[in-house]
Amino acid sequence: MKEVRTLSLKIPNEEECIQLLKDCKVPKDVITHSLKVCEVAEIIALKCNADLDLVKAGALLHDIGRSKTHNLMHAALGAEILTDHHLPQKIIDIVRKHTGAGFTNDEVLELNLPPADYMPSTLEEKIVCHADNLVAGTYFMTSKEKITKELSKGHDVTAKRIQAMHNELSSLCGIDLDTLMKK
C-alpha cells in the first residue's frame, strides 16, 4: 500500500505546498507556473482583502492534478489528491474550480467530468481562477489577451465568463487588474 503523506486540516504554507507538489511528482515547469500564478493571485488578494493564506495555498496547489494528466480532468484529479492528503475543503474547492472560468452542471456532464461544483463562487476561488487565466506558463497576459485567445478557439462562453470575473475582481480591487499587474 502506498504511503500518503498527509498535512493537517490547516492551510499549508508555501514550503509545505511546494513539498507536496514535489512529493506528487508535479513537473518542474508546472511548479514554476504555479509560483507565477501565486504571485499574481497574491497581488489581487492583497488589494481586495481576501484570505491571503488560502489564496496562496490554492494558487500553489491549483495544478497538482497535472501530476497525473494535462487534460481538463486535472482539476478533478487535483481535488482528489488534496482530499487524499486531508487538506481543507476550501483549498480542494479552489483546485476543482480553477479551470477556465468554471463550468455549469450541464457543461460538467458534456465534458464528462466527475459530478461536482466547478463554478468559482467565493472570492478566493475567483482570484485563483482568474490569476491562472492571466498566466500562460510564466508569462503574464492581460485579460484582453486571454479573452481574445479564448474567442479565437471558439470558446465564447468562457471568454464572457472571464470578462465578467475580471470586471468583478477589478471592481472589488478598485482598479482594473491589468493596470494593477503593470504596477
Side-chain angles (χ1 to χ4, degrees):
M1 185 173 177
K2 184 178 133 185
E3 182 182 329
V4 176
R5 185 169 182 238
T6 60
L7 299 170
S8 67
L9 283 174
K10 71 173 186 67
I11 296 172
N13 64 31
E14 183 173 341
E15 183 180 311
E16 291 167 325
C17 290
I18 300 291
Q19 188 59 55
L20 182 56
L21 293 170
K22 289 177 179 177
D23 289 350
C24 290
K25 299 189 179 358
V26 173
K28 286 181 183 177
D29 64 320
V30 174
I31 294 174
T32 304
H33 162 75
S34 296
L35 287 165
K36 183 66 175 180
V37 170
C38 183
E39 182 185 319
V40 171
E42 184 176 2
I43 291 167
I44 299 168
L46 286 168
K47 193 70 177 168
C48 63
N49 298 314
D51 182 329
L52 187 59
D53 292 335
L54 178 59
V55 167
K56 288 173 70 172
L60 289 168
L61 296 171
H62 80 279
D63 272 347
I64 195 166
R66 292 195 184 272
S67 62
K68 296 186 177 204
T69 185
H70 285 279
N71 67 26
L72 200 52
M73 190 64 77
H74 81 276
L77 291 173
E80 187 178 293
I81 290 167
L82 297 183
T83 299
D84 290 346
H85 282 80
H86 307 290
L87 266 73
Q89 189 63 47
K90 290 177 183 181
I91 297 173
I92 294 166
D93 291 342
I94 288 171
V95 169
R96 188 181 59 256
K97 298 176 182 186
H98 84 271
T99 308
F103 301 115
T104 64
N105 290 334
D106 288 342
E107 291 165 336
V108 168
L109 289 172
E110 185 180 314
L111 295 167
N112 203 26
L113 293 170
D117 179 8
Y118 290 84
M119 190 60 70
S121 56
T122 69
L123 177 59
E124 292 77 12
E125 290 166 359
K126 291 175 183 180
I127 289 171
V128 173
C129 180
H130 197 55
D132 187 40
N133 281 329
L134 299 178
V135 177
T138 58
Y139 167 74
F140 172 79
M141 68 172 73
T142 66
S143 62
K144 285 184 182 185
E145 290 171 312
K146 177 62 175 179
I147 290 165
T148 299
K149 185 176 179 181
E150 291 300 322
L151 290 171
S152 74
K153 294 179 186 176
H155 300 162
D156 296 16
V157 172
T158 299
K160 259 187 183 169
R161 285 189 195 136
I162 290 170
Q163 183 66 64
M165 192 176 291
H166 181 81
N167 293 346
E168 178 183 353
L169 291 172
S170 292
S171 177
L172 288 170
C173 289
I175 185 172
D176 184 87
L177 296 182
D178 292 339
T179 303
L180 179 63
M181 294 304 139
K182 290 178 184 175
K183 287 188 171 193

